[in-house]
Amino acid sequence: MFNAWDCRERPPEEGAAAGLQGFGVDKNFLSSLKGILLETELALTFVIFICFTASISAYMAAALLEFFITLAFLFLYATQYYQRFDRLNWPCLDFLRCVSAIIIFLVVSFAAVTSREGAAIAAFVFGIILVSVFAYDAFKIYRTELMPRTTEGDQQ
């Protein structure tokens, strides 16, 4: 008689394994400059979230939101899943993600440092470091993806 134990002992069929292949992590991306920048942004955002949770819980939502957005971009880029959404302009979305994070963390960091608590001051320091990482990421995106290219015929 056929039961659930028989299904577990059988090897997976080739079609089922091929369907899951879209979620394979690209280890070359994770060790590239873009991957390292996203991982750094993710780690610093998490540290700032912990600092805000320990001191001023009113500002932790901004750090948590940026954490999830950065995590989503890291997942989409590392699995190459973003290529399935070809109608979206991914460099522009990534650039806007960086610019919005710069604005949010500048405002929240300077607002948090006014409380004079230890964790809030640590969040300010990590926030300034994170703003510089986001600014570098936005600069690299603009230089490589968004800046208009000049051709030899355009230069005179």
Side-chain angles (χ1 to χ4, degrees):
M1 177 172 216
F2 183 77
N3 59 24
W5 293 106
D6 293 334
C7 292
R8 288 185 189 175
E9 295 173 6
R10 283 190 232 155
E13 297 163 6
E14 291 181 30
L20 294 176
Q21 203 166 27
F23 288 109
V25 176
D26 184 14
K27 292 185 171 103
N28 291 331
F29 172 76
L30 293 177
S31 62
S32 69
L33 178 64
K34 182 65 177 173
I36 292 171
L37 280 173
L38 280 171
E39 292 163 3
T40 305
E41 292 167 0
L42 191 68
L44 286 173
T45 306
F46 184 72
V47 168
I48 292 171
F49 170 72
I50 296 298
C51 290
F52 280 145
T53 304
S55 64
I56 306 169
S57 60
Y59 297 127
M60 73 179 192
L64 186 63
L65 177 68
E66 285 298 329
F67 176 80
F68 284 131
I69 291 172
T70 305
L71 183 65
F73 270 82
L74 180 65
F75 172 77
L76 289 170
Y77 281 139
T79 59
Q80 303 292 326
Y81 199 73
Y82 73 98
Q83 293 175 351
R84 295 185 185 188
F85 302 108
D86 57 348
R87 293 188 185 249
L88 294 175
N89 188 351
W90 287 101
C92 186
L93 285 175
D94 202 13
F95 181 76
L96 290 175
R97 175 189 65 87
C98 291
V99 170
S100 67
I102 289 169
I103 294 169
I104 288 170
F105 279 112
L106 271 177
V107 170
V108 170
S109 294
F110 280 108
V113 79
T114 60
S115 73
R116 305 269 186 216
E117 291 183 24
I121 294 172
F124 170 76
V125 171
F126 284 119
I128 297 302
I129 294 170
L130 183 62
V131 163
S132 66
V133 172
F134 273 119
Y136 180 71
D137 194 9
F139 173 74
K140 291 297 284 183
I141 293 167
Y142 181 76
R143 290 279 300 211
T144 59
E145 303 287 339
L146 301 177
M147 193 165 90
R149 307 265 191 256
T150 59
T151 60
E152 293 178 20
D154 291 345
Q155 297 175 356
Q156 294 178 10

